[in-house]
PDB file of all heavy atoms in Angstrom:
ATOM      1  N   LEU A 142       9.215  22.146   5.471  1.00 94.00           N
ATOM      2  CA  LEU A 142       9.313  20.653   5.389  1.00 94.00           C
ATOM      3  C   LEU A 142       8.401  19.998   6.400  1.00 94.00           C
ATOM      4  O   LEU A 142       7.755  19.001   6.059  1.00 94.00           O
ATOM      5  CB  LEU A 142      10.739  20.239   5.610  1.00 94.00           C
ATOM      6  CG  LEU A 142      11.740  20.545   4.480  1.00 94.00           C
ATOM      7  CD1 LEU A 142      13.162  20.302   4.964  1.00 94.00           C
ATOM      8  CD2 LEU A 142      11.413  19.687   3.261  1.00 94.00           C
ATOM      9  N   MET A 143       8.338  20.544   7.603  1.00 91.00           N
ATOM     10  CA  MET A 143       7.480  19.956   8.585  1.00 91.00           C
ATOM     11  C   MET A 143       5.984  20.075   8.272  1.00 91.00           C
ATOM     12  O   MET A 143       5.200  19.169   8.595  1.00 91.00           O
ATOM     13  CB  MET A 143       7.735  20.604   9.965  1.00 91.00           C
ATOM     14  CG  MET A 143       9.010  20.066  10.640  1.00 91.00           C
ATOM     15  SD  MET A 143       8.987  18.284  10.842  1.00 91.00           S
ATOM     16  CE  MET A 143       7.510  18.025  11.831  1.00 91.00           C
ATOM     17  N   GLN A 144       5.568  21.145   7.575  1.00 89.00           N
ATOM     18  CA  GLN A 144       4.158  21.225   7.212  1.00 89.00           C
ATOM     19  C   GLN A 144       3.780  20.240   6.145  1.00 89.00           C
ATOM     20  O   GLN A 144       2.673  19.710   6.189  1.00 89.00           O
ATOM     21  CB  GLN A 144       3.828  22.657   6.791  1.00 89.00           C
ATOM     22  CG  GLN A 144       4.083  23.739   7.867  1.00 89.00           C
ATOM     23  CD  GLN A 144       3.733  23.207   9.259  1.00 89.00           C
ATOM     24  OE1 GLN A 144       2.593  22.821   9.561  1.00 89.00           O
ATOM     25  NE2 GLN A 144       4.746  23.227  10.114  1.00 89.00           N
ATOM     26  N   ILE A 145       4.683  19.948   5.210  1.00 95.00           N
ATOM     27  CA  ILE A 145       4.451  18.911   4.221  1.00 95.00           C
ATOM     28  C   ILE A 145       4.325  17.541   4.894  1.00 95.00           C
ATOM     29  O   ILE A 145       3.425  16.745   4.654  1.00 95.00           O
ATOM     30  CB  ILE A 145       5.553  18.856   3.170  1.00 95.00           C
ATOM     31  CG1 ILE A 145       5.603  20.179   2.415  1.00 95.00           C
ATOM     32  CG2 ILE A 145       5.322  17.724   2.191  1.00 95.00           C
ATOM     33  CD1 ILE A 145       6.756  20.303   1.453  1.00 95.00           C
ATOM     34  N   ALA A 146       5.242  17.334   5.905  1.00 95.00           N
ATOM     35  CA  ALA A 146       5.218  16.101   6.700  1.00 95.00           C
ATOM     36  C   ALA A 146       3.930  15.975   7.482  1.00 95.00           C
ATOM     37  O   ALA A 146       3.297  14.912   7.543  1.00 95.00           O
ATOM     38  CB  ALA A 146       6.431  16.025   7.617  1.00 95.00           C
ATOM     39  N   ASN A 147       3.496  17.084   8.063  1.00 91.00           N
ATOM     40  CA  ASN A 147       2.235  17.077   8.813  1.00 91.00           C
ATOM     41  C   ASN A 147       1.033  16.786   7.961  1.00 91.00           C
ATOM     42  O   ASN A 147       0.161  15.996   8.374  1.00 91.00           O
ATOM     43  CB  ASN A 147       2.026  18.454   9.506  1.00 91.00           C
ATOM     44  CG  ASN A 147       3.071  18.752  10.553  1.00 91.00           C
ATOM     45  OD1 ASN A 147       3.776  17.875  11.060  1.00 91.00           O
ATOM     46  ND2 ASN A 147       3.244  20.020  10.857  1.00 91.00           N
ATOM     47  N   LEU A 148       0.980  17.374   6.785  1.00 93.00           N
ATOM     48  CA  LEU A 148      -0.127  17.123   5.854  1.00 93.00           C
ATOM     49  C   LEU A 148      -0.162  15.622   5.457  1.00 93.00           C
ATOM     50  O   LEU A 148      -1.210  15.015   5.408  1.00 93.00           O
ATOM     51  CB  LEU A 148       0.009  18.013   4.637  1.00 93.00           C
ATOM     52  CG  LEU A 148      -0.608  19.430   4.724  1.00 93.00           C
ATOM     53  CD1 LEU A 148      -0.157  20.268   3.574  1.00 93.00           C
ATOM     54  CD2 LEU A 148      -2.103  19.346   4.786  1.00 93.00           C
ATOM     55  N   ALA A 149       1.012  15.128   5.141  1.00 96.00           N
ATOM     56  CA  ALA A 149       1.076  13.707   4.742  1.00 96.00           C
ATOM     57  C   ALA A 149       0.623  12.764   5.850  1.00 96.00           C
ATOM     58  O   ALA A 149      -0.108  11.811   5.635  1.00 96.00           O
ATOM     59  CB  ALA A 149       2.488  13.348   4.276  1.00 96.00           C
ATOM     60  N   PHE A 150       1.102  13.038   7.049  1.00 94.00           N
ATOM     61  CA  PHE A 150       0.743  12.193   8.190  1.00 94.00           C
ATOM     62  C   PHE A 150      -0.734  12.305   8.504  1.00 94.00           C
ATOM     63  O   PHE A 150      -1.391  11.324   8.788  1.00 94.00           O
ATOM     64  CB  PHE A 150       1.588  12.563   9.366  1.00 94.00           C
ATOM     65  CG  PHE A 150       1.531  11.594  10.517  1.00 94.00           C
ATOM     66  CD1 PHE A 150       1.663  10.218  10.314  1.00 94.00           C
ATOM     67  CD2 PHE A 150       1.336  12.020  11.841  1.00 94.00           C
ATOM     68  CE1 PHE A 150       1.594   9.285  11.360  1.00 94.00           C
ATOM     69  CE2 PHE A 150       1.314  11.110  12.907  1.00 94.00           C
ATOM     70  CZ  PHE A 150       1.437   9.749  12.652  1.00 94.00           C
ATOM     71  N   ALA A 151      -1.284  13.508   8.454  1.00 93.00           N
ATOM     72  CA  ALA A 151      -2.699  13.740   8.665  1.00 93.00           C
ATOM     73  C   ALA A 151      -3.548  12.978   7.598  1.00 93.00           C
ATOM     74  O   ALA A 151      -4.547  12.339   7.925  1.00 93.00           O
ATOM     75  CB  ALA A 151      -3.055  15.238   8.656  1.00 93.00           C
ATOM     76  N   PHE A 152      -3.149  13.091   6.358  1.00 94.00           N
ATOM     77  CA  PHE A 152      -3.863  12.450   5.246  1.00 94.00           C
ATOM     78  C   PHE A 152      -3.945  10.917   5.527  1.00 94.00           C
ATOM     79  O   PHE A 152      -5.006  10.302   5.429  1.00 94.00           O
ATOM     80  CB  PHE A 152      -3.138  12.700   3.941  1.00 94.00           C
ATOM     81  CG  PHE A 152      -3.655  11.886   2.796  1.00 94.00           C
ATOM     82  CD1 PHE A 152      -4.666  12.396   1.974  1.00 94.00           C
ATOM     83  CD2 PHE A 152      -3.125  10.622   2.493  1.00 94.00           C
ATOM     84  CE1 PHE A 152      -5.131  11.611   0.918  1.00 94.00           C
ATOM     85  CE2 PHE A 152      -3.605   9.841   1.438  1.00 94.00           C
ATOM     86  CZ  PHE A 152      -4.628  10.353   0.650  1.00 94.00           C
ATOM     87  N   GLY A 153      -2.812  10.329   5.873  1.00 94.00           N
ATOM     88  CA  GLY A 153      -2.751   8.900   6.088  1.00 94.00           C
ATOM     89  C   GLY A 153      -3.663   8.443   7.288  1.00 94.00           C
ATOM     90  O   GLY A 153      -4.337   7.431   7.157  1.00 94.00           O
ATOM     91  N   GLN A 154      -3.620   9.214   8.340  1.00 92.00           N
ATOM     92  CA  GLN A 154      -4.424   8.872   9.519  1.00 92.00           C
ATOM     93  C   GLN A 154      -5.919   8.885   9.163  1.00 92.00           C
ATOM     94  O   GLN A 154      -6.642   7.956   9.526  1.00 92.00           O
ATOM     95  CB  GLN A 154      -4.162   9.859  10.636  1.00 92.00           C
ATOM     96  CG  GLN A 154      -2.791   9.760  11.241  1.00 92.00           C
ATOM     97  CD  GLN A 154      -2.580  10.763  12.315  1.00 92.00           C
ATOM     98  OE1 GLN A 154      -3.161  10.673  13.400  1.00 92.00           O
ATOM     99  NE2 GLN A 154      -1.670  11.744  12.092  1.00 92.00           N
ATOM    100  N   VAL A 155      -6.387   9.909   8.510  1.00 92.00           N
ATOM    101  CA  VAL A 155      -7.813  10.041   8.134  1.00 92.00           C
ATOM    102  C   VAL A 155      -8.254   8.964   7.137  1.00 92.00           C
ATOM    103  O   VAL A 155      -9.255   8.305   7.295  1.00 92.00           O
ATOM    104  CB  VAL A 155      -8.113  11.462   7.628  1.00 92.00           C
ATOM    105  CG1 VAL A 155      -9.566  11.510   7.120  1.00 92.00           C
ATOM    106  CG2 VAL A 155      -7.888  12.490   8.717  1.00 92.00           C
ATOM    107  N   TYR A 156      -7.423   8.810   6.100  1.00 94.00           N
ATOM    108  CA  TYR A 156      -7.815   7.846   5.069  1.00 94.00           C
ATOM    109  C   TYR A 156      -7.731   6.401   5.531  1.00 94.00           C
ATOM    110  O   TYR A 156      -8.601   5.622   5.143  1.00 94.00           O
ATOM    111  CB  TYR A 156      -6.960   8.049   3.780  1.00 94.00           C
ATOM    112  CG  TYR A 156      -7.520   9.120   2.873  1.00 94.00           C
ATOM    113  CD1 TYR A 156      -7.506  10.453   3.173  1.00 94.00           C
ATOM    114  CD2 TYR A 156      -8.147   8.755   1.661  1.00 94.00           C
ATOM    115  CE1 TYR A 156      -8.062  11.419   2.395  1.00 94.00           C
ATOM    116  CE2 TYR A 156      -8.661   9.684   0.853  1.00 94.00           C
ATOM    117  CZ  TYR A 156      -8.645  11.054   1.182  1.00 94.00           C
ATOM    118  OH  TYR A 156      -9.188  11.979   0.392  1.00 94.00           O
ATOM    119  N   TYR A 157      -6.711   6.056   6.326  1.00 94.00           N
ATOM    120  CA  TYR A 157      -6.648   4.708   6.832  1.00 94.00           C
ATOM    121  C   TYR A 157      -7.856   4.464   7.804  1.00 94.00           C
ATOM    122  O   TYR A 157      -8.456   3.386   7.786  1.00 94.00           O
ATOM    123  CB  TYR A 157      -5.358   4.383   7.521  1.00 94.00           C
ATOM    124  CG  TYR A 157      -5.347   2.976   8.049  1.00 94.00           C
ATOM    125  CD1 TYR A 157      -5.065   1.911   7.184  1.00 94.00           C
ATOM    126  CD2 TYR A 157      -5.576   2.669   9.368  1.00 94.00           C
ATOM    127  CE1 TYR A 157      -5.039   0.573   7.647  1.00 94.00           C
ATOM    128  CE2 TYR A 157      -5.620   1.357   9.836  1.00 94.00           C
ATOM    129  CZ  TYR A 157      -5.301   0.303   8.983  1.00 94.00           C
ATOM    130  OH  TYR A 157      -5.345  -0.972   9.406  1.00 94.00           O
TER     131      TYR A 157
END
Side-chain angles (χ1 to χ4, degrees):
L142 287 169
M143 281 305 301
Q144 299 325 300
I145 298 173
N147 294 341
L148 274 168
F150 193 47
F152 171 91
Q154 291 178 69
V155 173
Y156 272 72
Y157 181 79

